[in-house]
Amino acid sequence: MSLNVHNRRTSKKHFQVDPLLMPKVPRTNYLHLQEEKHRLQLKKFLLHRMFLVGYVQANLEKKEITEYYEKLFQSILKNHLGEAVTGLLLVYSRTFMHILETSNGTLFRILLDYVAHEKEDKEYMIQNVKIIVASHNIPTRLFMQWHVSVIKVPVLYLEDVTQSQSLAEVTTDFLSMTHKLALHLFKTVKVGTKGPGDNLHQVAPDLLLPEQTIEYLCKAEEFMDPATFLNMYNRPIHITLDSEIVWPAPSRF
């Protein structure tokens, strides 16, 4: 009898964990770190940035394109969860350059709306859109709001630099100039104001992209249009191997 009691006591002591051996630092993982990072930045979704170029309809009014995008952004955020849209839209005489910062689902629906308009309306106000680059999971925004600026002042260029540069060089210059312009606006434009207005040619003339550069990128076949991008986006990741559709199934050792 005493032997059994002694065995039970020793077994209980055997399963007790010494508190000195318990970890003092709380264990976490990479997912928790990312969630905490986004919580501190007041973000519910990952942020993405997309650079677009394309042609605009002749004599396009600023009010027309501004109202269209503002209504589109409001409609998307009203019906789908996502981050607010910030960025910059530069409208030239024949072309435009658009920077968008928002969550992935919102970007997807903006492109989807353009593709739908392109199919239904051949005289749509923006045409031949090309996606220059899409940056995923950006750490912070370059813009605190979404702005539209019309570049109406004619600028004369002594030399078309795109004729002597490769596509990679033109694209690098394009991204470098747009980032410099974005940083300039980030430092000078206050939150809640109307934005840079239509006098960027006076405020930052050295940071404006030549329209010939945008036209060059619009004609480049290496960049995808929104329809091609969406088809690739919706394509399933899973790939069926040839060995999975033959019979009898091959044996593996």
Side-chain angles (χ1 to χ4, degrees), residues 227-242:
T228 304
F229 181 85
L230 292 175
N231 289 333
M232 184 183 69
Y233 181 90
N234 291 322
R235 189 179 303 165
I237 299 177
H238 177 72
I239 301 175
T240 303
L241 301 176
D242 291 340

Side-chain angles (χ1 to χ4, degrees), residues 128-162:
N128 194 28
V129 175
K130 293 292 182 68
I131 300 172
I132 304 303
V133 67
S135 303
H136 302 288
N137 193 15
I138 58 177
T140 185
R141 296 177 186 265
L142 288 175
F143 302 91
M144 294 298 103
Q145 298 173 247
W146 183 76
H147 304 291
V148 181
S149 183
V150 178
I151 313 299
K152 292 184 178 180
V153 177
V155 181
L156 298 178
Y157 302 102
L158 299 177
E159 180 183 1
D160 186 357
V161 295
T162 59

Side-chain angles (χ1 to χ4, degrees), residues 21-215:
L21 299 178
M22 294 293 291
K24 300 299 182 182
V25 181
R27 297 183 180 275
T28 185
N29 54 40
Y30 184 71
L31 176 61
H32 293 158
L33 293 176
Q34 289 293 95
E35 290 177 344
E36 180 66 14
K37 179 180 177 182
H38 294 313
R39 186 186 69 79
L40 294 175
Q41 296 178 353
L42 302 177
K43 293 190 303 182
K44 298 179 180 179
F45 301 88
L46 295 179
L47 283 175
H48 307 276
R49 183 182 297 121
M50 182 173 287
F51 293 79
L52 303 168
V53 296
Y55 290 96
V56 294
Q57 201 174 45
N59 301 320
L60 179 65
E61 294 293 334
K62 177 181 178 180
K63 182 180 179 181
E64 182 180 357
I65 193 169
T66 302
E67 290 181 349
Y68 158 72
Y69 273 112
E70 289 180 348
K71 290 180 181 179
L72 176 62
F73 298 158
Q74 293 175 4
S75 175
I76 293 174
L77 292 177
K78 182 179 178 181
N79 297 287
H80 304 279
L81 294 176
E83 291 288 332
V85 180
T86 59
L88 176 67
L89 173 61
L90 297 182
V91 182
Y92 292 77
S93 60
R94 300 181 302 274
T95 61
F96 74 91
M97 187 275 295
H98 203 176
I99 305 175
L100 291 167
E101 297 175 333
T102 183
S103 51
N104 189 57
T106 304
L107 277 177
F108 175 83
R109 289 173 176 84
I110 293 173
L111 296 178
L112 200 62
D113 184 81
Y114 165 75
V115 173
H117 279 287
E118 186 183 36
K119 292 180 179 179
E120 297 174 0
D121 186 6
K122 298 299 181 181
E123 299 297 328
Y124 188 49
M125 60 181 174
I126 54 176
Q127 299 173 351
N128 194 28
V129 175
K130 293 292 182 68
I131 300 172
I132 304 303
V133 67
S135 303
H136 302 288
N137 193 15
I138 58 177
T140 185
R141 296 177 186 265
L142 288 175
F143 302 91
M144 294 298 103
Q145 298 173 247
W146 183 76
H147 304 291
V148 181
S149 183
V150 178
I151 313 299
K152 292 184 178 180
V153 177
V155 181
L156 298 178
Y157 302 102
L158 299 177
E159 180 183 1
D160 186 357
V161 295
T162 59
Q163 300 299 321
S164 58
Q165 290 180 322
S166 65
L167 178 61
E169 292 173 331
V170 175
T171 306
T172 302
D173 291 342
F174 167 83
L175 295 175
S176 177
M177 291 281 287
T178 51
H179 274 89
K180 289 179 181 179
L181 177 61
L183 291 175
H184 172 78
L185 296 177
F186 178 80
K187 296 177 182 178
T188 56
V189 178
K190 296 181 180 179
V191 178
T193 59
K194 295 183 179 180
D198 298 335
N199 61 339
L200 276 176
H201 61 282
Q202 297 176 350
V203 178
D206 297 335
L207 300 179
L208 281 180
L209 283 165
E211 187 170 20
Q212 59 195 10
T213 299
I214 300 178
E215 287 185 302

